[in-house]
Structures are given as structure tokens and as C-alpha cells.
Amino acid sequence: MGVKREQRQRQDAEFSAFVAGSGRQLLRLAELLTGDPERAKDIVQSALERAYLHWHRITGDDPTAYVRRIVVNQHRDWWRRLRNRELPTDHTPDRPLAEDLAERQAERALLHQALGTLTRRERTVVVLRYYGDLTEAAIAAELGIARGTVKSTLNRALSKLRAHPELADRTGGPAGPMAHIEVTV
């Protein structure tokens, strides 16, 4: 019994260290995918629960990629359920913001709005490419699609973002891939 308890404690410590090191990154990814901070927290929590149950198998591989894939899948599952139950709204409840963060919040909201105009796949590919800094090959492997599909999806998504009028207005010209908007979620 002592050996199993020690193994479990070691796994718990490894998992806690992983969450401490990657939790914010996973939450940012989920928020960019969903556009809703509360739903993002739910998705990450659910993904971490699933990862914890299989942590003994995950630690040998790249745990961040594994859990990131769970987050993407959780978002996809949520989206499928959403079509049958809920209707999204155009606005979120007001939240007080510190004055020094107003510009950052405005940019963040603008980016979320622009990402909201993309299809689920386009948004996922853009977020994984520009936020997750993954290569096209890594995105293709993570989503289980062809690399050419990633390229065409990314091209389509970036064209939509470039045509987004608010992004063009903020940069003084046509919007680029992320239009010089730095987002910290």
C-alpha cells in the first residue's frame, strides 16, 4: 500500500505542477475559442479532470499538447450541444474594469468579436496558429485534418479578419493576421 500511495502522491505533485505551469495558457486558449471567460473556465476544468484521470499515461508524452487537444475537443463538444439547446447573445453582462486596462480590454473585445465571425474550424485554426504558435503540420495532427485543409482554412479565416472593418479602423489600414492586437486573457 505504501508504494501505491507514494506513486499517487508523486503523480498528484506532477499534475499540480503541470496545472500551475500550463493552466493560464490553457484558459487563454479556451477563452479565445469560446469568447466567454466563464465557459472557458468550465471547458478547462473539464479537460483537466479528464487529464487527471489518465495522468499516468500522459506524462511520457507532451502533456501540454495532449491537454490542449482535450480543450479543443471539449469546445467542439460544447458547440455541438449548443446548437440544440442555447442561443448566444450579442452582448455579455457589464463588468467593472480598471481605467488603466480599458484600452487592452477594448482590443480584447474587438479581437473576440472578430474571432466570433469565423466558423468554429476557422477560429480553432487561427487560435492554434497565432496564439498557440503551432505549425500547420502540428495543427493538422492535433485536429486530425490534412495540412492542406489547415492552410486553406487559415487563408479563408485571415481573409475574413482582414476584411473586418473594426480591425482595419484600429490599425489605420487593412487588418493583418491579428492587426497588431496583443491579447492577454
Side-chain angles (χ1 to χ4, degrees), residues 6-22 52 54-60 63:
E6 288 176 20
Q7 280 181 321
R8 178 53 103 192
Q9 287 176 342
R10 187 174 59 251
Q11 285 181 353
D12 287 350
E14 289 173 5
F15 185 76
S16 294
F18 169 77
V19 172
S22 299
Y52 179 77
H54 304 286
W55 190 249
H56 62 281
R57 291 186 303 177
I58 297 172
T59 56

Side-chain angles (χ1 to χ4, degrees), residues 28-48:
R28 287 183 199 147
L29 171 71
E31 189 169 328
L32 288 170
L33 290 173
T34 64
D36 179 359
E38 297 307 315
R39 186 161 287 119
K41 289 176 187 175
D42 291 343
I43 286 175
V44 170
Q45 179 65 35
S46 180
L48 290 173

Side-chain angles (χ1 to χ4, degrees), residues 119-158:
T119 66
R120 182 177 40 86
R121 178 181 276 182
E122 289 169 344
R123 185 177 329 128
T124 302
V125 168
V126 168
V127 168
L128 289 176
R129 178 67 182 106
Y130 292 101
Y131 174 73
D133 201 26
L134 298 181
T135 64
E136 291 166 348
I139 295 168
E142 194 154 315
L143 298 180
I145 58 177
R147 186 170 179 220
T149 303
V150 171
K151 290 172 115 177
S152 63
T153 302
L154 188 57
N155 186 40
R156 229 180 3 264
L158 292 178

Side-chain angles (χ1 to χ4, degrees), residues 70-81:
I70 295 173
V71 168
V72 170
N73 288 339
Q74 291 287 86
H75 175 256
R76 184 181 308 141
D77 292 346
W78 166 80
W79 189 257
R80 288 179 184 153
R81 287 189 308 269

